[in-house]
Amino acid sequence: MARAASTGRQRYRWLLLLAAAAMLVAWLVSGGGQGDDPAGDGGSTSSTTSSSSTSSSPGDATDATDAASGLPVVRLAALPPEAARTVELIDAGGPFPEPDHDGGTFGNREELLPDQPMGYYREYTVPTPGVEDHGARRIVAGDDGEELYWTDDHYSSFALIRR
């Protein structure tokens, strides 16, 4: 009889362990807490957090994430002033400071931006004061010119720019 009770407790423990494992798997599949919106606004508004103009990575300038792309969102005003000038030139159609490079097709080989057909994205140099070459800062624009992405590490990471 003691053996039957022991077997019953052992089954109960296994069932509890199985239930806990199932809940952990469900939590991980649903995002594991990633993308939770503590503000409760669905991520539809841009963050009001600002950063220095020499952000070391796109995520430094905001705490919002774009639901469609999964990329961090950064306000244009939080970027270096040269980025705002580059956006003005994109809107005006140029002239660009690097005519041999600016406006060229960005191939998205890193596959960090949303998947689009080749030729959809164009890249533009954002000058870096004190740097003689093109530097690492770029803005990549979608076909319509309204979809803008910022990178300050030469395509290793991106953030969606909100104006």
Side-chain angles (χ1 to χ4, degrees), residues 73-99:
V73 177
V74 63
R75 290 182 154 277
L76 181 58
L79 295 176
E82 298 84 8
R85 177 67 183 136
T86 300
V87 170
E88 290 172 6
L89 292 174
I90 292 169
D91 290 344
F96 299 102
E98 300 286 341

Side-chain angles (χ1 to χ4, degrees), residues 36-43 45 63:
D36 288 350
D37 184 16
D41 64 2
T45 59
D63 60 2

Side-chain angles (χ1 to χ4, degrees), residues 16-100:
L16 283 176
L17 183 60
L18 183 62
M23 289 189 311
L24 176 62
V25 168
W27 180 72
L28 290 172
V29 167
S30 70
Q34 297 295 323
D36 288 350
D37 184 16
D41 64 2
S44 62
T45 59
S46 298
S47 169
T48 57
T49 304
S50 65
S51 70
S52 71
S53 63
T54 56
S55 166
S56 63
S57 69
D60 288 348
T62 185
D63 60 2
T65 301
D66 178 58
S69 68
L71 293 172
V73 177
V74 63
R75 290 182 154 277
L76 181 58
L79 295 176
E82 298 84 8
R85 177 67 183 136
T86 300
V87 170
E88 290 172 6
L89 292 174
I90 292 169
D91 290 344
F96 299 102
E98 300 286 341
D100 293 339

Side-chain angles (χ1 to χ4, degrees), residues 91 141-148 160-161 163:
D91 290 344
D143 199 23
D144 61 2
E146 293 299 315
E147 181 182 1
L148 300 171
L160 177 67
I161 298 173
R163 296 183 193 221

Side-chain angles (χ1 to χ4, degrees), residues 146-158:
E146 293 299 315
E147 181 182 1
L148 300 171
Y149 299 93
W150 164 254
T151 180
D152 62 359
D153 54 16
H154 204 259
Y155 319 123
S156 291
S157 63
F158 285 94

